């Protein structure tokens, strides 16, 4: 019997264009659930379901904290799961796709069963959505490290997933947001949108499942809870990245949550949201194309900090821009979103680096638990950001049935869209200034891990392609 040929050094770990696109399709599907809820769920609560902004803010805080713990549970499940037929991560995508998209639909269909009943229903279905999202998104995100060991190829995956997410975000801004006029009957709009998303999201997940492969296989089929905790405890770069992400995501989610309110009720230019989405899409495609080269030249940490600064500038413009200067407020939002795009592209490559650091430090590779902790902190940031946005517009006295908001309500929206993101982004950047897992240090760590694998031999498993991936230097 002949064995499969070992890949040439120049090809080992290279990803096909189909697999890169397929991976990006997965995050497009993720964001049919995630971005739809972050952009529109507060609007649905206040303008359709009749839930107050303050109650919605508390709901976001409580449920998203629950979601964060769901991520840890999902991470443990991923680290303890392996199938010979489909691998470690892909089964979660296959079987979790449809339930996730159905729950997205249910979150925008709250029955009129009294104030307490509506709020209870909202808590239950949103918590269920968060759990379903964790069981799909944690293995999806963890899978990048299993598709290739090469940092440059991982950067391509990071760019692909960011482009997939922003394509969905842009589509929501172009086609859905302009329909959400003050005082209009919005329930039929949300019904049509979420039905389409159930079908499209499931199809995208299946495309990801069939076009991606897990090639970096290690002989650690089950990781104990103690091993997982040891991996996290000694991983200082991961902990710093997580703390920075909590702050950055809190600001980002505050900005995103009130986007419709800002353009509709402050600038009175709801039609500008599609323009913003198109500009954001162009910026994303441009940054996605050049980001690997920028990272190679300056390093991931420097890129992260620079784009955090861009968000700060945009937030300040949004905060102080007079409502009459529509062009200035629009410019501030564009600048802020450019900062968000840049950080979101590079942060996934930073997270993948911390996986190798944890393996180098402890000898145990736990993609699932590391990604779940990272996602835990991001969910915490989402919880805080969504809550702060709700509280800010509640402080301003936002009235979901009014055609014109008060001056204080306008200020509350500007605080949520400008001040909160700027302050929290500054804090995130300060933390990353002290982040010491540079690209040069990471390269040395990967080389040491590769040498350990070569010496151990059997630790890589019997797949000759996998052995080749770890026995060849980075091209």
């Amino acid at each position: 019997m002949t064995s499969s040929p070992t890949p040439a050094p120049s090809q080992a770990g290279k990803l096909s264009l189909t697999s890169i696109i397929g991976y990006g399709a997965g995050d497009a599907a993720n964001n049919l659930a995630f971005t739809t809820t972050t952009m529109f769920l507060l609007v649905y609560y206040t303008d359709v379901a009749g839930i107050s902004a303050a109650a919605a803010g508390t709901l976001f805080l409580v449920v998203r904290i629950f979601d964060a713990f769901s991520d840890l549970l999902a991470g443990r499940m991923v680290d303890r799961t392996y199938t010979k037929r489909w691998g470690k991560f892909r089964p979660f995508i296959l079987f979790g796709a449809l339930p996730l998209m159905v729950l997205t639909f249910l979150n925008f269909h709250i029955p009129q069963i009294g104030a307490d009943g509506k709020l209870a229903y909202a808590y239950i279905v949103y918590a269920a959505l968060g759990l379903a999202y964790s069981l799909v998104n944690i293995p999806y995100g963890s899978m990048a490290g299993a598709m290739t060991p090469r940092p440059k190829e991982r950067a391509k995956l990071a760019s692909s997933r960011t482009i997939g997410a922003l394509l969905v975000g842009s589509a929501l801004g172009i086609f859905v947001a302009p329909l959400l006029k003050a005082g209009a009957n919005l329930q039929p709009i949300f019904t049509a949108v979420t039905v389409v998303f159930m079908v499209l999201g499931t199809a995208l997940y299946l495309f990801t499942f069939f076009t991606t492969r897990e090639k970096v296989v290690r002989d650690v089929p089950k990781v104990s809870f103690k091993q997982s905790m040891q991996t996290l405890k000694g991983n200082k770069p991961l902990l710093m990245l997580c703390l920075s992400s909590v702050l950055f995501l809190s600001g980002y989610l505050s900005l995103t949550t009130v986007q419709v309110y800002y353009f509709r009720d402050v600038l009175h230019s709801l039609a500008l949201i599609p323009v913003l989405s198109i500009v954001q899409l162009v910026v994303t495609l441009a940054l996605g194309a050049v980001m690997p080269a920028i990272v190679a030249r300056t390093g991931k940490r420097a890129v992260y900090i620079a784009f955090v600064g861009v968000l700060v500038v945009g937030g300040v413009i949004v905060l102080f821009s007079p409502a009459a200067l529509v062009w200035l407020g629009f410019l501030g939002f564009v600048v802020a979103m450019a900062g968000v795009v840049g950080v979101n592209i590079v942060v996934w490559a930073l997270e993948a680096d911390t996986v190798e650091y944890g393996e180098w430090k402890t000898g145990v590779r736990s993609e699932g638990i590391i990604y779940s902790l990272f996602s835990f902190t991001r969910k915490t940031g989402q919880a805080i950001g969504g809550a702060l946005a709700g509280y800010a517009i509640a402080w301003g006295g936002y009235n979901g049935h009014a055609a014109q908001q008060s001056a204080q309500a306008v200020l509350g929206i500007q605080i949520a869209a400008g001040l909160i993101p700027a302050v929290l982004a500054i804090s995130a950047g300060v933390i990353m200034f002290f982040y010491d897992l540079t690209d040069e240090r990471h390269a040395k760590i990967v080389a040491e891990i590769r040498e350990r694998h070569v010496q151990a031999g059997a630790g890589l498993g019997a797949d000759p392609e996998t052995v080749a991936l770890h026995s060849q230097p980075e091209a």
Side-chain angles (χ1 to χ4, degrees):
M1 182 174 69
T2 60
S3 61
S4 58
T6 300
S10 62
Q11 296 300 318
K14 294 287 185 180
L15 295 172
S16 69
L17 180 60
T18 301
S19 65
I20 293 172
I21 294 174
Y23 189 75
D27 217 30
N30 284 341
N31 282 273
L32 288 174
F34 175 77
T35 305
T36 301
T37 53
T38 55
M39 285 182 67
F40 302 134
L41 194 55
L42 182 58
V43 176
Y44 178 80
Y45 286 160
T46 58
D47 294 14
V48 180
I51 296 173
S52 72
T58 301
L59 184 154
F60 286 152
L61 182 64
V62 172
V63 174
R64 288 175 179 169
I65 291 293
F66 166 78
D67 289 351
F69 283 98
S70 298
D71 283 355
L72 295 179
L73 172 63
R76 287 291 300 149
M77 291 180 64
V78 169
D79 280 337
R80 297 178 66 86
T81 299
Y82 182 79
T83 66
K84 291 183 178 179
R85 182 177 181 183
W86 292 321
K88 188 179 185 69
F89 308 111
R90 293 166 65 237
F92 291 92
I93 297 172
L94 176 64
F95 295 108
L98 183 59
L100 173 59
M101 302 318 299
V102 169
L103 284 165
T104 302
F105 172 86
L106 293 177
N107 269 270
F108 288 91
H109 291 80
I110 297 179
Q112 295 298 319
I113 50 178
D116 293 340
K118 288 189 295 184
L119 193 58
Y121 178 94
Y123 269 93
I124 291 170
V125 294
Y126 194 36
L129 175 67
L131 178 59
Y133 184 76
S134 295
L135 290 172
V136 174
N137 186 54
I138 294 300
Y140 167 79
S142 303
M143 189 168 63
M147 290 176 66
T148 175
R150 293 178 175 271
K152 291 180 181 178
E153 296 299 299
R154 289 179 181 177
K156 293 178 184 177
L157 292 177
S159 294
S160 180
R161 72 174 295 173
T162 302
I163 291 170
L166 264 296
L167 284 172
V168 170
S170 297
L172 292 173
I174 293 169
F175 300 112
V176 179
L179 303 176
L180 306 182
K181 297 179 173 63
N185 181 13
L186 303 182
Q187 184 62 72
I189 296 171
F190 285 118
T191 297
V193 167
T194 51
V195 166
V196 171
F197 286 0
M198 278 196 294
V199 178
L200 180 59
T202 302
L204 286 170
Y205 277 129
L206 291 177
F207 180 65
T208 299
F209 175 81
F210 286 112
T211 58
T212 56
R213 292 293 182 271
E214 301 170 25
K215 296 182 178 179
V216 183
V217 182
R218 293 165 180 90
D219 191 22
V220 189
K222 291 188 178 181
V223 180
S224 70
F225 181 76
K226 182 179 180 180
Q227 287 174 315
S228 297
M229 292 301 102
Q230 287 175 341
T231 300
L232 299 180
K233 182 179 179 181
N235 201 327
K236 180 182 175 183
L238 173 66
L239 298 179
M240 294 184 71
L241 183 61
C242 286
L243 181 56
S244 180
S245 292
V246 167
L247 297 168
F248 184 83
L249 263 294
S250 295
Y252 167 40
L253 261 292
S254 182
L255 176 75
T256 302
T257 301
V258 298
Q259 175 176 300
V260 171
Y261 297 96
Y262 182 74
F263 281 91
R264 186 185 67 187
D265 301 312
V266 177
L267 300 183
H268 303 292
S269 299
L270 191 61
L272 281 178
I273 292 184
V275 181
L276 174 69
S277 298
I278 293 171
V279 172
Q280 187 176 348
L281 178 59
V282 171
V283 171
T284 301
L285 293 173
L287 287 178
V290 303
M291 189 63 77
I294 296 175
V295 167
R297 180 179 294 271
T298 63
K300 291 186 282 290
R301 183 186 68 168
V303 172
Y304 183 102
I305 293 174
F307 279 101
V308 163
V310 173
L311 173 58
V312 172
V313 172
V316 170
I317 295 173
V318 168
L319 175 63
F320 292 107
S321 176
L325 295 180
V326 175
W327 67 269
L328 186 58
F330 177 78
L331 176 63
F333 233 91
V334 169
V335 172
M337 283 306 203
V340 170
V341 170
V343 170
N344 280 344
I345 290 177
V346 75
V347 73
W348 300 109
L350 285 165
E351 183 274 335
D353 290 352
T354 66
V355 173
E356 271 88 23
Y357 182 90
E359 181 181 3
W360 172 76
K361 192 80 172 178
T362 66
V364 176
R365 186 178 182 93
S366 302
E367 291 103 331
I369 194 65
I370 287 178
Y371 186 88
S372 67
L373 177 64
F374 185 58
S375 186
F376 174 89
T377 57
R378 290 176 66 85
K379 286 285 186 67
T380 302
Q382 294 161 16
I384 296 170
L388 290 175
Y391 295 151
I393 67 172
W395 169 84
Y398 173 80
N399 183 348
H401 301 290
Q404 184 81 19
Q405 298 297 325
S406 67
Q408 183 166 325
V410 168
L411 178 59
I413 295 170
Q414 287 181 299
I415 288 173
L419 179 62
I420 292 173
V423 170
L424 294 178
I426 290 172
S427 303
V430 169
I431 290 172
M432 288 302 289
F433 181 79
F434 298 98
Y435 182 85
D436 61 357
L437 184 56
T438 63
D439 289 6
E440 293 79 8
R441 188 182 180 201
H442 174 256
K444 294 178 181 178
I445 287 172
V446 171
E448 288 188 29
I449 294 173
R450 184 184 297 118
E451 182 62 26
R452 292 178 192 174
H453 288 161
V454 171
Q455 292 177 359
L460 290 173
D463 180 11
E465 181 178 358
T466 301
V467 175
L469 294 179
H470 287 273
S471 61
Q472 300 294 342
E474 175 67 18

